[in-house]
Structure formats: structure tokens, C-alpha cells
Amino acid sequence: MVKVILDNITKRFDDFAALKGVTLEITDKEFMALLGPSGSGKSTLLYTIAGIYRPTSGRIYFDDRDVTDVPPKDRNVGLVFQNWALYPHMKVFDNIAFPLELRKFPKEEIAKKVKEVAEMLRIETLLNRYPWQLSGGQQQRVAIARALVKEPDVLLLDEPLSNLDALLRLEVRAELKRLQKELGITAVYVTHDQAEALAMADRIAVIKEGEILQVGDPDEVYYKPKYRFVGGFLGSPPMNFLDAEVQDPYLDVYGNRILIPIQYRELVKKLGVRKVILGFRPHDAEVVRGVAEGLVGTVYSFEPLGREQIVTVSVNGASLKVFAPEGEHFTFGEQVTVKLREDRIILFDKKTEKALEFLEE
Amino acid sequence: MRKEKLRDLSFFLSPMVLMVLLFYLVPLIMTIYISMTRMKNWNVERYLTEFVGIYNYERLFYMFQHDPTFKAVIMTTIVFVGITLMINVFGGLSLALATFFINERAASSYRLLWLLPRMSPIAVYSLVWYYFFHGSEIGTLNSILMSLGLISEPIPWGQVTPWGAWSVIIFVNGLVGVSFGMIVFTSALNQIPKELVIAARVDGASSWQISKRILIPMMKWHLLYVLTWQFLSLLTTYPHLFLLVEWDLVNRDYGTTLALYVFNTAFGRGEQDQGLAAAAAVVLSIIGVIGGFVTLKVLQFEKMMKKPRGDF
């Protein structure tokens, strides 16, 4: 159980900079998600923590211990892979026992520890089978058991749920979150699935092109995105973005005039920005019939999802998605107005795509 | 349906069946037949019809018991095939594993270096080692050792029997064969997902432990293949040996394996005895078949066979 500190980590592969000055502190017992699209460098960062990659520059600390030059075997980390990476020629028992055998534990102790961890993950009946005789979910449990059996200081998970089917993923998600808290183990979880990150993590670090854009708890990252990219990457469907022009005290949004949200009035004046991007989440607006105060447009499409429906509205050529309650019936091309929830609106600077409140940072 | 299947089968199999018939089965039958005649000096008209039954085999057996030269040939074959096979397989394996753990660019140039013996013409390659092991002071090895003051007189390495001669032929052939195993094992290693190696590293395994516990067990089939293949090719190879013996670099008795003996007896200088050579060739083939079969059985080759992919 340690605190992990990444201090200005860069990693270059030949000419390609995979990580560009990553600084991050993961506190003891924390569940940290590294969230980003593929190729963003999140797995590279995880492997750097594991010691598979040596950073080109920067230091890594586990508590006060500088582990930058420590080989993986002496870091005491557990690693779980997307494809689980079970040793195909070993039975489940031997897979789990492997890290302990390498540490020269006595036989009885190995058997005891393997049994314990297998019971914890409910795979004690599978110990005598080969990996190929197991289902995806079972293989995944074995992989987690192998990572946990050596009682690691840090548990590193590289998209461990991506190869499971959707239903099983939801189930394991809840279980894994519970397990991490029960064991009180520091965990770093790499994923490209924003829902997974929001659901499981204590904090989320959003990574893009080798840089951390924002670190915060799920609410913070979801409701207060620092960058347009963060707002667009989290949420399903993601945030809506519309170009807008400041005409104090109004915003001109595709021919519609709305008041500048109250929390931004002074900031807009102070910064003197003219071109902004208006962002809001699909559930922070409502669709009303006919012409009213708000963004007037026509219904492009609608998708009932059971409990609610997603309505796609076309506003003078711009497209936005808004949740509407079930039971309300729309028709294609119908004229509607999208009314925004003022306090949830985020304004981004058009040029830097950074939220106005962070612009001066 | 059945008829169609038969037609397809014969269409696809016929080229191979023809090849096997023409270039394998017919020569085999001819060899077996010649081994039962008194065929000599290619005098086909006179001897081809002179059937003598198993006389040539009896001669071989008698020589095996009483002829020191033939005994040397048998010993040489056993030692040569056994040790060279081990060098080929384990040398190839070690090289593949060693280059697996180093930087890819360095690894491929290193591997290329080991391919050189395979790429150079047999005569050129053998000539290099001819000068290296030459028994006079012009031999590279001798001149090095002499200038270092380790020996005062040049040593005729290949004429020191039996181990001097054996060492030279094993060394020269071993170097050629290593590259084959190396290439097969390298491609096998590249098929192993890198996550397994990373997982083992994180689990605390050293490169040696990763090789022993993860990589080698996963290359079992490749190991079997290289072992069988190299066994059969070493049993039948003779070009390098022929040159080394012909140039008098190595002792004739302890530089001649059964394969070279067959060649020399049938086509060599002096009296040629095709009947005897054919009998020895048949014995060699039987050893090969048995040896190949045993390795396949011991290593459970049939487990490697896959069901066809789909029914059509």
C-alpha cells in the first residue's frame, strides 16, 4: 500500500513522444483511472509505473522510495492485462502460484495463499483446469488472482474488462470496485471507456496525446471539464458544443440569442473574449414544442431508450442531442426549442478550447 | 458428391503423388533391388541380374563385427549425429533466446551473421575451415597457438583420432546447422504474445526463468520439428565431410559417416561396389525412419495435428 508519485515523466520511442511531462500523484488506497482514447499514452504510463518502460526523463516514487531505476520484479506491483496473459501451458493453480514460486515461498504456503485468493475470487473449483478450458470471465478472475496473490503495493490494470461481454462487464465492474476498497490497495486502472472510469474510480486522469489534461473526481471531470476534449470524451452521448459569439449581455448561437450564463458574465467581460464554444450535457436541457426562449430548431431524429429518449435537434445546421422523458412523441421535422439549464453551461475559449474559468491558468 | 470429392482429391494430390512415386518410391525400390545383386563398377549388363539375396547385408554385418574401418564409420556416425544434433538444436535455441531479449536491430544483424555459413557455397565455406584447421604452420589455429607460445609444433588437428577428427567435422557442420534452428525458434518466439513476457517480468522472473518456464514450454512443437528435421538431415548429409576428407584435412576413417561411406562405396575412387553401397543405404534409411518415428512418438506429434477448418 503506497502512494505513487509521477514527477514530470517523459517517454520517447525513437522519434515519437509517447508521454510529454506527466506529473501525477496517486494517493494511498486510491483507485485512479487513466482515461484516454487509444494511442493517448495511457498504457505506456501504466507500463512505466510497472517498470517495463524506463522513463526518458522524470522520476517515479513509491512513497519516498525512488523506483525509477528499479526493475519490475523489485517494485512489488500486480499487473492485469486486457487479454489476461495467462500462461497457456500451466493450470490455473500454477498460473496463480507462479509469482510465489519465483519468490521461493515454501510449498505449503503457496498452496495456502493460492487457495485464499482463489476463494476470494470464487475460482477455487477451477484450479485444476487449463486457461483454455475457462470462459472469459473466469480467465479474468484468474488474472486478477495472479496479480493479487503476491500482495502487491500497487495493482495495475490495463483495460481488464474490455474483452468481456457487456453484461458481464457491468457485473465485474461493481465487484472489482468493491474488492479494491476491501483490500485497501492502491490501484491504477487504464481504460478508454468513460463509463467504466466514472463508475469505478476515485479520481480520473484524462490523457490525450501523452499529456494529462485534467485530474479530478468523477463529478469534477464530468461537470467541470477543463477542456472541450474532456467534455466530449466523457458522457454518452457526450457534451454538445456550439460555436457562439459574445454580444454582451447576450450570446449569439446560430442565430439564437441567449443571455450569457450568470456565472460567466464578469469573466467574459474581464477576459474580453468574443468567440466562444457553448457546451452543455444532453441531460442539462429540455426540448419544448414550438418557438420559445432558447435554441430554436427542428427535430432531426429521436431514439427511445426505454426510460428516456435522445432527441437530435438541428439548429440552423448545428446538431445537438438532448434527453427527453419517455412517452413524449415527436415527429420528424417538428419545430422545437431547446431550453438550457443555465448553471450547467460551460463556455470554452474558441481558440484554445479551454474552459474560460481555467483560461488564465 | 462422393465422386466429386474423389475428383477434387486426386486433382490436388496428383502432383505430390507423382513426385513421391518418381523420385522416392522408384529409387527406393531400385536401391533395395540393387542391394540384393552383386552390382559392381556400374557394370549393369553383367551384374544387374545376378541376384544374391541378403549376401550384401551379411557382408555389412560381418564388417560391422570384424572390419575396424567400418567400425570407425559407425562410431563416427553415432558421435557426429548425436553431438552435432545437440549443437544444432540447443545452439539455435540459445541464439534465438539471446537475440529475443536484446534490441531488435542489433538482434537481426547478429542473426544474419549466423546465416553466413548457410549462405556461402559449400566449397568456399569448407575451404575457410580447411585453412583454419590445417595441420601445418600455415593453419590459422596452429599459427595463433604457436605465436601465443601455447604449442611449439603444429598439430594436425584432423588426423588426431578419434576426437580431433570428430571435433573438426562436428564444428564445421554444427555451425551450418545452428542457423536453421535459430530461424525457426525466432519466428516461434515472435508468435508468443509480449504480454506473457511482461507478466512474467512483473511476477519477478529473470530472463533465464522466463525462457525456462514460459518460452521453451510454449515452443515444444518447434523444438520437436527442428530436432526431427536436423536428425534426418545430419544422418544423410555428406558434402562438407566429403571435401574435408578428400582434402586430407581429417582422417578418412574417423571423418566418414555412413552417408559418406555409401557415397564413396558407390561412386568413390578405386573399386566401386554398388551392391554393398545400396545395402548400407537401405540400413541408413531404416535407421532414419525408426529415429524419426521415435522422436515423433516420444514428443506426441499427433497432438499437433489440427482438425480441418470447416467441412469444405
Side-chain angles (χ1 to χ4, degrees):
Chain A
M1 321 299 120
V2 297
K3 174 171 80 176
V4 178
I5 299 167
L6 305 172
D7 182 17
N8 202 14
I9 301 288
T10 58
K11 177 66 188 173
R12 302 186 67 84
F13 294 106
D14 293 330
D15 288 339
F16 174 68
L19 298 172
K20 307 166 190 165
V22 171
T23 297
L24 183 65
E25 188 173 324
I26 302 156
T27 58
D28 185 19
K29 301 186 175 59
E30 186 177 30
F31 197 130
M32 171 68 85
L34 303 177
L35 175 66
S38 55
S40 59
K42 54 191 193 304
S43 293
T44 307
L45 188 57
L46 192 81
Y47 288 160
T48 310
I49 298 173
I52 302 300
Y53 294 140
R54 188 190 296 264
T56 311
S57 70
R59 312 301 297 176
I60 303 168
Y61 301 92
F62 285 3
D63 286 337
D64 296 328
R65 179 172 162 233
D66 185 342
V67 296
T68 316
D69 301 312
V70 174
K73 70 185 177 71
D74 299 325
R75 291 196 188 192
N76 199 22
V77 295
L79 188 49
V80 180
F81 295 89
Q82 178 177 352
N83 62 7
W84 310 311
L86 300 178
Y87 309 123
H89 57 289
M90 295 185 196
K91 288 184 172 170
V92 169
F93 180 93
D94 298 313
N95 261 284
I96 301 174
F98 189 62
L100 300 180
E101 276 172 25
L102 292 172
R103 291 176 186 205
K104 309 239 182 305
F105 274 61
K107 268 219 156 59
E108 314 81 63
E109 205 178 333
I110 292 178
K112 194 174 133 248
K113 277 181 186 282
V114 171
K115 198 167 155 267
E116 269 172 27
V117 77
E119 274 167 9
M120 187 165 74
L121 288 156
R122 287 183 276 118
I123 48 171
E124 67 271 22
T125 55
L126 308 174
L127 291 176
N128 217 14
R129 298 208 199 155
Y130 283 101
W132 51 269
Q133 294 169 312
L134 306 181
S135 71
Q138 290 168 333
Q139 289 192 43
Q140 201 246 13
R141 282 164 194 279
V142 176
I144 294 175
R146 186 178 65 186
L148 287 178
V149 76
K150 54 184 173 177
E151 291 159 16
D153 291 330
V154 188
L155 182 61
L156 305 171
L157 304 124
D158 188 8
E159 311 228 9
L161 306 186
S162 298
N163 284 12
L164 300 179
D165 62 68
L167 268 180
L168 194 58
R169 204 180 306 170
L170 288 181
E171 194 187 311
V172 179
R173 201 160 88 178
E175 221 174 304
L176 201 57
K177 181 173 182 169
R178 172 94 196 187
L179 188 68
Q180 187 265 340
K181 281 288 168 280
E182 274 173 8
L183 295 173
I185 191 171
T186 311
V188 185
Y189 187 100
V190 161
T191 181
H192 67 270
D193 182 343
Q194 49 89 26
E196 248 171 45
L198 288 171
M200 299 170 78
D202 297 320
R203 283 197 301 156
I204 299 172
V206 182
I207 302 184
K208 185 197 175 196
E209 289 168 10
E211 283 174 287
I212 293 188
L213 296 186
Q214 186 170 5
V215 186
D217 63 43
D219 278 354
E220 232 174 300
V221 181
Y222 188 77
Y223 286 111
K224 291 275 168 221
K226 225 174 185 177
Y227 288 87
R228 176 190 168 146
F229 175 82
V230 177
F233 199 70
L234 279 90
S236 171
M239 211 173 215
N240 292 300
F241 299 106
L242 296 166
D243 284 345
E245 200 162 318
V246 176
Q247 291 170 353
D248 211 22
Y250 293 103
L251 286 174
D252 181 90
V253 189
Y254 284 83
N256 297 282
R257 293 180 99 194
I258 60 167
L259 275 170
I260 296 176
I262 190 154
Q263 69 272 27
Y264 279 110
R265 270 176 213 163
E266 281 194 14
L267 198 59
V268 167
K269 240 186 220 118
K270 199 177 104 195
L271 295 168
V273 285
R274 301 236 352 115
K275 288 188 184 297
V276 294
I277 299 166
L278 175 110
F280 66 94
R281 296 237 168 244
H283 49 71
D284 289 332
E286 57 173 334
V287 187
V288 295
R289 290 204 152 79
V291 180
E293 192 82 2
L295 307 175
V296 181
T298 54
V299 172
Y300 175 77
S301 188
F302 46 92
E303 305 151 59
L305 298 174
R307 193 166 57 84
E308 57 203 347
Q309 52 182 326
I310 301 172
V311 185
T312 308
V313 181
S314 169
V315 178
N316 288 338
S319 164
L320 36 105
K321 289 182 187 292
V322 181
F323 279 116
E326 58 169 332
E328 213 171 320
H329 293 285
F330 293 96
T331 49
F332 292 104
E334 183 183 359
Q335 190 162 57
V336 290
T337 301
V338 176
K339 299 182 86 135
L340 308 182
R341 196 173 144 181
E342 192 185 13
D343 62 327
R344 290 284 177 81
I345 290 174
I346 307 280
L347 293 183
F348 300 90
D349 176 42
K350 169 95 173 142
K351 212 168 77 199
T352 57
E353 300 201 330
K354 209 169 175 182
L356 292 188
E357 52 266 54
F358 298 107
L359 202 56
E360 287 183 316
E361 260 181 21
Chain B
M1 186 66 204
R2 257 188 80 85
K3 213 173 157 188
E4 237 173 67
K5 208 167 175 181
L6 202 69
R7 200 191 60 199
D8 284 353
L9 258 177
S10 39
F11 175 76
F12 283 109
L13 285 180
S14 56
M16 197 59 213
V17 168
L18 205 71
M19 291 264 290
V20 170
L21 272 179
L22 265 175
F23 299 108
Y24 189 79
L25 215 56
V26 171
L28 186 71
I29 291 168
M30 280 166 69
T31 306
I32 293 175
Y33 175 73
I34 291 172
S35 76
M36 299 192 183
T37 65
R38 206 188 286 283
M39 182 81 156
K40 252 187 235 165
N41 297 326
W42 294 111
N43 197 336
V44 177
E45 280 151 38
R46 179 156 169 214
Y47 293 116
L48 194 60
T49 49
E50 200 180 323
F51 193 77
V52 293
I54 60 164
Y55 169 67
N56 284 319
Y57 294 93
E58 283 168 357
R59 272 170 75 201
L60 271 183
F61 189 66
Y62 183 82
M63 281 159 66
F64 178 66
Q65 283 177 312
H66 303 290
D67 180 354
T69 305
F70 192 70
K71 275 190 198 164
V73 167
I74 297 299
M75 271 314 288
T76 303
T77 308
I78 293 169
V79 171
F80 170 76
V81 172
I83 298 182
T84 316
L85 185 62
M86 291 303 111
I87 291 176
N88 282 178
V89 174
F90 293 108
L93 188 63
S94 316
L95 280 176
L97 287 170
T99 52
F100 180 72
F101 287 110
I102 63 174
N103 157 301
E104 183 47 39
R105 208 168 303 161
S108 42
S109 32
Y110 188 69
R111 284 197 287 265
L112 190 69
L113 201 69
W114 282 91
L115 270 174
L116 281 176
R118 176 75 72 178
M119 292 189 299
S120 41
I122 292 171
V124 175
Y125 173 76
S126 302
L127 204 59
V128 171
W129 295 112
Y130 174 75
Y131 285 117
F132 187 83
F133 288 115
H134 198 279
S136 72
E137 61 276 8
I138 67 153
T140 317
L141 187 58
N142 277 329
S143 71
I144 290 174
L145 292 179
M146 279 165 76
S147 61
L148 285 176
L150 291 173
I151 53 173
S152 49
E153 289 284 303
I155 298 174
W157 301 99
Q159 302 299 340
V160 179
T161 55
W163 283 102
W166 286 345
S167 300
V168 172
I169 59 172
I170 287 169
F171 184 84
V172 172
N173 276 276
L175 277 187
V176 183
V178 162
S179 60
F180 175 74
M182 181 186 74
I183 285 172
V184 173
F185 295 137
T186 299
S187 83
L189 284 172
N190 289 335
Q191 298 298 316
I192 295 176
K194 70 172 196 309
E195 284 83 3
L196 287 181
V197 179
I198 295 178
R201 275 233 185 286
V202 172
D203 281 347
S206 62
S207 295
W208 166 243
Q209 284 165 323
I210 293 174
S211 304
K212 197 178 75 172
R213 303 285 307 269
I214 311 290
L215 301 177
I216 295 176
M218 291 186 71
M219 288 197 291
K220 195 178 154 196
W221 301 127
H222 301 86
L223 212 62
L224 156 71
Y225 170 69
V226 172
L227 195 69
T228 313
W229 180 271
Q230 288 295 81
F231 169 71
L232 294 176
S233 65
L234 284 171
L235 205 58
T236 52
T237 188
Y238 62 84
H240 295 93
L241 303 175
F242 172 76
L243 290 177
L244 296 178
V245 169
E246 205 64 10
W247 294 337
D248 271 333
L249 183 73
V250 294
N251 180 278
R252 178 167 284 270
D253 294 345
Y254 290 94
T256 302
T257 60
L258 196 53
L260 182 57
Y261 178 81
V262 170
F263 176 83
N264 281 337
T265 311
F267 304 99
R269 283 176 292 194
E271 198 196 41
Q272 296 171 338
D273 191 338
Q274 282 86 29
L276 187 66
V282 170
V283 170
L284 191 64
S285 304
I286 291 170
I287 295 173
V289 168
I290 293 173
F293 191 73
V294 166
T295 28
L296 295 184
K297 260 284 164 274
V298 165
L299 290 152
Q300 298 173 313
F301 181 72
E302 68 275 6
K303 272 199 188 165
M304 192 165 64
M305 295 297 181
K306 291 256 162 67
K307 291 224 164 63
R309 293 153 210 237
D311 287 333
F312 294 101

Coordinates of all heavy atoms in Angstrom, one line a residue, chain B residues 129-162:
Chain B
W129 N 37.5 -23.4 -43.4 CA 37.9 -24.2 -42.3 C 39.1 -25.1 -42.6 O 39.8 -25.5 -41.7 CB 36.7 -25.0 -41.8 CG 35.6 -24.1 -41.3 CD1 34.4 -23.8 -41.8 CD2 35.7 -23.2 -40.1 NE1 33.8 -22.9 -41.1 CE2 34.5 -22.5 -40.1 CE3 36.7 -23.0 -39.2 CZ2 34.3 -21.5 -39.1 CZ3 36.5 -22.1 -38.2 CH2 35.3 -21.4 -38.2
Y130 N 39.2 -25.4 -43.9 CA 40.4 -26.1 -44.3 C 41.7 -25.4 -43.9 O 42.6 -25.9 -43.2 CB 40.4 -26.4 -45.8 CG 41.7 -27.0 -46.4 CD1 41.9 -28.4 -46.2 CD2 42.6 -26.3 -47.1 CE1 43.0 -29.0 -46.7 CE2 43.7 -26.8 -47.6 CZ 44.0 -28.2 -47.4 OH 45.1 -28.8 -47.9
Y131 N 41.7 -24.1 -44.2 CA 42.9 -23.3 -43.8 C 42.9 -23.1 -42.3 O 44.0 -23.0 -41.7 CB 42.9 -22.0 -44.5 CG 43.3 -22.2 -46.0 CD1 42.5 -21.9 -47.0 CD2 44.6 -22.7 -46.3 CE1 42.8 -22.1 -48.3 CE2 45.0 -22.9 -47.6 CZ 44.1 -22.6 -48.6 OH 44.5 -22.8 -49.9
F132 N 41.8 -23.0 -41.7 CA 41.8 -22.7 -40.2 C 42.4 -23.9 -39.5 O 43.2 -23.7 -38.6 CB 40.3 -22.5 -39.7 CG 40.3 -22.1 -38.3 CD1 40.5 -20.7 -38.0 CD2 40.0 -23.0 -37.3 CE1 40.4 -20.3 -36.6 CE2 40.0 -22.6 -36.0 CZ 40.2 -21.2 -35.6
F133 N 42.0 -25.1 -39.8 CA 42.4 -26.3 -39.1 C 43.6 -27.0 -39.7 O 44.0 -28.1 -39.3 CB 41.3 -27.3 -39.0 CG 40.2 -26.9 -38.0 CD1 38.9 -26.6 -38.5 CD2 40.5 -26.8 -36.7 CE1 37.9 -26.3 -37.6 CE2 39.5 -26.4 -35.8 CZ 38.2 -26.1 -36.3
H134 N 44.2 -26.4 -40.8 CA 45.3 -27.1 -41.5 C 46.4 -27.5 -40.5 O 46.7 -26.8 -39.6 CB 45.9 -26.1 -42.6 CG 46.6 -26.8 -43.6 ND1 47.9 -27.2 -43.4 CD2 46.3 -27.2 -44.8 CE1 48.4 -27.9 -44.5 NE2 47.4 -27.9 -45.4
G135 N 46.9 -28.7 -40.9 CA 47.8 -29.4 -39.9 C 49.2 -28.8 -39.9 O 50.0 -29.1 -39.0
S136 N 49.6 -28.0 -40.9 CA 50.9 -27.4 -40.8 C 50.9 -26.0 -40.2 O 49.9 -25.6 -39.7 CB 51.5 -27.3 -42.3 OG 50.8 -26.2 -42.9
E137 N 52.0 -25.3 -40.2 CA 52.1 -24.0 -39.6 C 51.3 -22.9 -40.3 O 51.0 -21.8 -39.8 CB 53.5 -23.5 -39.3 CG 54.3 -23.3 -40.5 CD 55.0 -24.7 -41.0 OE1 54.6 -25.8 -40.4 OE2 55.8 -24.7 -41.9
I138 N 50.8 -23.2 -41.6 CA 50.0 -22.3 -42.3 C 48.6 -22.2 -41.7 O 47.8 -21.3 -42.0 CB 50.0 -22.5 -43.8 CG1 49.3 -23.8 -44.1 CG2 51.4 -22.4 -44.4 CD1 48.6 -23.8 -45.5
G139 N 48.2 -23.3 -41.0 CA 46.8 -23.3 -40.5 C 46.6 -22.2 -39.5 O 47.5 -21.9 -38.6
T140 N 45.5 -21.5 -39.6 CA 45.2 -20.3 -38.7 C 45.3 -20.7 -37.2 O 46.0 -20.0 -36.5 CB 43.8 -19.8 -39.0 OG1 43.6 -19.8 -40.4 CG2 43.7 -18.4 -38.5
L141 N 44.6 -21.8 -36.9 CA 44.6 -22.2 -35.5 C 46.0 -22.5 -35.0 O 46.4 -22.0 -33.9 CB 43.7 -23.4 -35.3 CG 43.5 -23.9 -33.9 CD1 42.8 -22.8 -33.1 CD2 42.6 -25.1 -33.9
N142 N 46.8 -23.2 -35.8 CA 48.1 -23.5 -35.4 C 49.0 -22.3 -35.2 O 49.8 -22.2 -34.3 CB 48.8 -24.5 -36.4 CG 48.4 -25.9 -36.1 OD1 48.2 -26.3 -35.0 ND2 48.3 -26.7 -37.2
S143 N 48.9 -21.4 -36.2 CA 49.8 -20.2 -36.1 C 49.4 -19.3 -35.0 O 50.3 -18.7 -34.3 CB 49.7 -19.5 -37.5 OG 48.5 -18.8 -37.6
I144 N 48.1 -19.2 -34.6 CA 47.7 -18.5 -33.5 C 48.3 -19.1 -32.2 O 48.9 -18.4 -31.4 CB 46.2 -18.4 -33.3 CG1 45.6 -17.5 -34.4 CG2 45.8 -17.8 -32.0 CD1 44.0 -17.5 -34.5
L145 N 48.1 -20.4 -32.1 CA 48.6 -21.0 -30.8 C 50.1 -21.0 -30.7 O 50.6 -20.9 -29.6 CB 48.1 -22.5 -30.8 CG 46.6 -22.7 -30.6 CD1 46.2 -24.1 -30.6 CD2 46.1 -22.0 -29.3
M146 N 50.7 -21.1 -31.9 CA 52.2 -21.0 -31.8 C 52.7 -19.6 -31.5 O 53.7 -19.5 -30.7 CB 52.8 -21.5 -33.2 CG 52.8 -23.0 -33.3 SD 53.1 -23.6 -35.0 CE 54.8 -23.2 -35.2
S147 N 52.1 -18.6 -32.1 CA 52.6 -17.3 -31.8 C 52.2 -16.9 -30.3 O 52.9 -16.0 -29.7 CB 52.0 -16.3 -32.7 OG 50.6 -16.2 -32.6
L148 N 51.2 -17.5 -29.8 CA 50.9 -17.3 -28.3 C 51.8 -18.1 -27.5 O 51.9 -18.0 -26.2 CB 49.5 -17.7 -28.0 CG 48.4 -16.7 -28.5 CD1 47.0 -17.3 -28.2 CD2 48.6 -15.3 -27.8
G149 N 52.6 -19.0 -28.1 CA 53.5 -19.8 -27.4 C 52.9 -21.0 -26.6 O 53.5 -21.6 -25.7
L150 N 51.6 -21.3 -27.0 CA 50.9 -22.4 -26.3 C 51.4 -23.8 -26.8 O 51.4 -24.8 -26.1 CB 49.4 -22.3 -26.5 CG 48.8 -21.1 -25.7 CD1 47.4 -20.9 -26.1 CD2 49.0 -21.2 -24.2
I151 N 51.8 -23.8 -28.1 CA 52.3 -25.1 -28.7 C 53.6 -24.7 -29.4 O 53.8 -23.6 -29.9 CB 51.3 -25.8 -29.6 CG1 50.8 -24.8 -30.7 CG2 50.2 -26.4 -28.9 CD1 50.0 -25.4 -31.8
S152 N 54.5 -25.7 -29.5 CA 55.8 -25.4 -30.2 C 55.8 -26.0 -31.6 O 56.4 -25.5 -32.5 CB 57.0 -25.9 -29.4 OG 56.7 -27.3 -29.0
E153 N 55.0 -27.1 -31.8 CA 54.9 -27.8 -33.1 C 53.5 -27.7 -33.6 O 52.6 -27.7 -32.8 CB 55.3 -29.3 -32.9 CG 56.7 -29.6 -32.6 CD 57.5 -29.5 -33.9 OE1 57.2 -30.2 -34.8 OE2 58.5 -28.6 -33.9
P154 N 53.3 -27.5 -34.9 CA 51.9 -27.5 -35.4 C 51.2 -28.9 -35.2 O 51.9 -29.9 -35.3 CB 52.1 -27.3 -36.9 CG 53.5 -27.6 -37.2 CD 54.3 -27.3 -36.0
I155 N 50.0 -28.8 -34.9 CA 49.2 -30.1 -34.6 C 48.3 -30.4 -35.8 O 47.5 -29.5 -36.2 CB 48.4 -29.9 -33.3 CG1 49.3 -29.7 -32.1 CG2 47.5 -31.2 -33.1 CD1 48.6 -29.4 -30.8
P156 N 48.4 -31.6 -36.4 CA 47.5 -31.9 -37.4 C 46.1 -32.3 -36.8 O 45.8 -33.5 -36.6 CB 48.2 -33.1 -38.1 CG 49.0 -33.7 -37.0 CD 49.3 -32.6 -36.0
W157 N 45.3 -31.3 -36.6 CA 44.1 -31.5 -35.8 C 43.2 -32.6 -36.3 O 42.7 -33.5 -35.5 CB 43.3 -30.2 -35.8 CG 44.0 -29.0 -35.2 CD1 44.7 -28.1 -35.9 CD2 44.3 -28.8 -33.8 NE1 45.3 -27.2 -35.1 CE2 45.1 -27.6 -33.8 CE3 43.9 -29.4 -32.7 CZ2 45.5 -27.1 -32.6 CZ3 44.3 -28.9 -31.5 CH2 45.1 -27.7 -31.4
G158 N 42.9 -32.6 -37.6 CA 42.0 -33.6 -38.2 C 42.5 -35.0 -38.2 O 41.8 -35.9 -38.4
Q159 N 43.8 -35.2 -38.0 CA 44.4 -36.5 -38.0 C 44.5 -37.1 -36.6 O 44.9 -38.3 -36.5 CB 45.8 -36.5 -38.7 CG 45.7 -35.9 -40.2 CD 44.9 -36.8 -41.1 OE1 44.6 -37.9 -40.8 NE2 44.4 -36.1 -42.2
V160 N 44.3 -36.3 -35.6 CA 44.3 -36.9 -34.3 C 43.0 -37.7 -34.1 O 41.9 -37.2 -34.1 CB 44.3 -35.7 -33.2 CG1 44.3 -36.3 -31.8 CG2 45.5 -34.8 -33.4
T161 N 43.2 -39.0 -34.0 CA 42.0 -39.9 -33.9 C 41.7 -40.3 -32.5 O 42.7 -40.6 -31.7 CB 42.1 -41.1 -34.8 OG1 43.3 -41.8 -34.5 CG2 42.1 -40.7 -36.3
P162 N 40.5 -40.5 -32.1 CA 39.3 -40.1 -33.0 C 38.9 -38.7 -32.7 O 38.2 -38.1 -33.6 CB 38.2 -41.1 -32.5 CG 38.5 -41.3 -31.1 CD 40.0 -41.2 -30.9

